[in-house]
Amino acid sequence: MTTELRPGEVIAGYVIARRIGAGGSGVVYAARHPRLPRLTALKILKRDDVAEDADVWRRFEREADIAAHFDHPNIVQVFDRGVTDDIFWISMQFIDGVDAAELHHVSADRGLRIATEIGAALDYAHGKGVLHRDVKPSNILIADPDSGRPERALLTDFGIARLRDETTKLTHTGNISATFAFASPEQVSGKPVGPRSDQYSLACTLFVLLTDHRPFRADNPLGWVHAHTQERPLPISEVNPDLPSALDAVFEQAMAKDPEDRFESCADFAYAATQAYYSDPALARTAPARLLPHPPPRRPRGRKPWWRSLLHRRTLIPVAVAAVTAAVIGFAFHQGSPAPAPIADTGLVPARFVGTWLATEGQTNYRLTVQQAKTGDPVLSNRVDGVLPNGTPFHCEFSAPLDAVPKEGDRLIVGTSEIVVREPANACKANGPTTLTLLPDGRVSRKTDVSGLITYTSADAVVSSWGHDDIAIARAFPSLIGQLASTGTAVGWQGGSCQARDPGPGESAQGAHRVRCNADDTTGQVHFDVIDFDTRPGQSVAQLFFADNAIKVSGVDHDDVAGQLTITTAAAVDSAATQDSEAHRVLAAVSFPDGDPRSRFVMVLRWPGHTVNSLLTDWLERAPLK
């Protein structure tokens, strides 16, 4: 029997106000918070699901655990979870509005804004190692404008994110056709999924928002499988003639059968769609102010930029003509009117600064993130990790506002830093105002009054330096293994020396690639290998790295991983007492949870003179795994 609650009933102190809706994993109610004067969305698990499947509560619980890691304006917040009187519940942010499945005849500007906001949310989740895997209109909530704040789109329902096989979910929801309609080719064919699977689903979702039709003609699960794996999507400009033909190529790329042919990120897709829409001369004057010059970021070798795909499609000439015409109209429109304000007055950050930048000085690693901002808004976050002279590791995080953007556009003036995290407290000192300078070679320098002059390399350049065979490892762990120099060696985490090495016999049979760090170190650094099996290893970690299969397995948390890492050691090793030595090497194999994009990798660690527990708490816990 499905759990149904009536207004006035009390669950865990929450007073039920009304039923909001139901989905595959439960019923959602608006409820009054037990202590605060606000409404909360209370998700109640269906009792019959619990009776049918003993693992349902664990999945329901994990949904709360995953979403609890998130702090993003376009992701519904999770506050609490529990069990009361055999009722399983999750309390979440209450959104006063509708879900996107209820929207019809959506204007292009509104649809593109929704896709932009959800794309940012998905990229954020991907950065946390989480795939949503069920992006569709009904999982997007549209918050009504409130107190001067505009309408906002929020992503919800991480019920199957990283938790179970996609095909199982698709046949379990009770709404098979709707879920299949937004599933990627790799999902419906049972292949490994990555962030670009969510991008495909986002493109299907935006197609529906802009046309009120789905991108393929199918009406049953088998038809959807064939459509997603074999057919080209309908040209969106034919389904909705009010849309420019420039959008056709953008949607075709985002819904490419091969994930490698899609855009680098969900944000890239949303941006390309927005630019393509406003490339129509008839729409150029109404383009929103956010469409400022924003060239796509540098991409690793082996990936096709979206504009290159356009070269092979008949839409190239219309796009080019439209762009030129739009420029002419824009020029004529501004004649006789005041000249636009320079960038310095608006405080907008030039796009070439925006992104992630990495630097290593000795045993200290810097990860600088620059975001779009206006004067006075936070523009810079900086993570600094290293080792103090006494051997103690330290970790600091800073935030800083934007002070000014000089007119020449190759510098940013950043305000005084604020300490966000410091471990230990005496290791972190905030900088006064600093200047970021874009160098001719594409790097960025920053002169600080604490660490002196630091020169950063873009994360994309770090990744692309590794070449085709090892680029997947570099993309997953750029801060950990660093930038490969012409000598074939990179300076990685805490000054580690990293090189590409041939995999061992057991791993090479699976087509693996390996990056080995500190293999020849005699100064006491952690020795670590990152092995890429291309897909989740077919053999168990025990078979690959522990010949006698006598193992111990434990789970550990990490800030960069939603869920737990699995640590495998030999059964005979006392994690608290057995020290690694050349005579008795103590290995710890680290694997990522199912569904995590990094589940294709295994890390093998050892630390001469230290125990496994010390390795986990003093090194792995602090190591950047993104």
Side-chain angles (χ1 to χ4, degrees), residues 400-608:
L402 179 65
D403 269 3
V405 181
K407 292 181 180 179
E408 57 267 36
D410 62 353
R411 291 183 297 138
L412 298 181
I413 311 301
V414 178
T416 300
S417 297
E418 176 185 350
I419 298 175
V420 179
V421 176
R422 48 184 171 189
E423 302 169 352
N426 61 0
C428 307
K429 182 179 178 182
N431 281 297
T434 59
T435 300
L436 288 182
T437 303
L438 186 69
L439 302 178
D441 62 2
R443 295 184 298 164
V444 162
S445 69
R446 182 188 185 205
K447 187 171 183 180
T448 71
D449 51 14
V450 175
S451 303
L453 182 66
I454 304 171
T455 302
Y456 298 84
T457 302
S458 74
D460 284 342
V462 170
V463 169
S464 62
S465 70
W466 281 87
H468 181 268
D469 287 345
D470 303 295
I471 198 168
I473 297 175
R475 184 178 295 114
F477 308 101
S479 299
L480 197 65
I481 67 172
Q483 182 177 16
L484 192 65
S486 58
T487 58
T489 300
V491 178
W493 175 243
Q494 295 183 348
S497 175
C498 299
Q499 295 177 308
R501 293 286 181 89
D502 292 334
E507 300 125 31
S508 60
Q510 299 193 41
H513 297 284
R514 176 198 297 262
V515 170
R516 171 165 286 182
C517 299
N518 299 328
D520 303 317
D521 180 79
T522 59
T523 64
Q525 290 203 67
V526 173
H527 297 200
F528 63 100
D529 291 9
V530 183
I531 305 167
D532 177 15
F533 290 92
D534 195 42
T535 61
R536 191 163 183 83
Q539 292 177 278
S540 70
V541 170
Q543 292 173 309
L544 287 169
F545 304 107
F546 303 91
D548 60 2
N549 287 340
I551 59 169
K552 290 192 301 187
V553 176
S554 60
V556 299
D557 294 321
H558 193 285
D559 287 344
D560 293 343
V561 180
Q564 285 197 319
L565 296 169
T566 298
I567 310 299
T568 305
T569 58
V573 170
D574 183 335
S575 297
T578 307
Q579 291 191 350
D580 179 278
S581 66
E582 287 303 315
H584 185 195
R585 296 192 176 191
V586 177
L587 300 181
V590 180
S591 49
F592 292 80
D594 284 328
D596 189 302
R598 295 160 294 185
S599 64
R600 63 190 278 180
F601 306 99
V602 175
M603 297 174 60
V604 181
L605 316 176
R606 59 178 289 253
W607 195 1

Side-chain angles (χ1 to χ4, degrees), residues 174-295:
N175 193 5
I176 295 175
S177 295
T179 303
F180 264 111
F182 301 93
S184 67
E186 51 269 34
Q187 282 181 291
V188 300
S189 57
K191 296 180 180 178
V193 300
R196 297 183 188 198
S197 175
D198 283 344
Q199 179 190 138
Y200 183 100
S201 301
L202 177 63
C204 293
T205 297
L206 179 57
F207 192 103
V208 170
L209 291 177
L210 296 180
T211 66
D212 283 338
H213 291 82
R214 291 171 178 169
F216 300 99
R217 294 188 177 96
D219 56 10
N220 61 72
L222 289 179
W224 282 113
V225 171
H226 182 270
H228 286 306
T229 58
Q230 303 296 326
E231 297 177 7
R232 296 176 66 174
L234 298 170
I236 194 168
S237 64
E238 292 182 11
V239 180
N240 182 356
D242 291 334
L243 299 175
S245 60
L247 276 170
D248 295 342
V250 176
F251 277 88
E252 188 168 335
Q253 180 173 346
M255 287 187 273
K257 306 307 178 190
D258 185 348
E260 294 293 306
D261 291 333
R262 298 172 199 157
F263 291 93
E264 285 291 309
S265 68
C266 294
D268 280 355
F269 157 61
Y271 178 79
T274 305
Q275 289 287 78
Y277 176 74
Y278 287 105
S279 70
D280 187 326
L283 302 166
R285 293 188 185 185
T286 64
R290 65 177 180 271
L291 289 180
L292 294 167
H294 177 73

Side-chain angles (χ1 to χ4, degrees), residues 387-394 424 426:
V387 180
L388 296 173
N390 63 4
T392 302
F394 70 88
N426 61 0

Side-chain angles (χ1 to χ4, degrees), residues 4 16 39 316 322-323 367 546 602:
E4 287 290 346
I16 301 299
L39 283 177
L316 172 63
R367 185 183 182 94
F546 303 91
V602 175

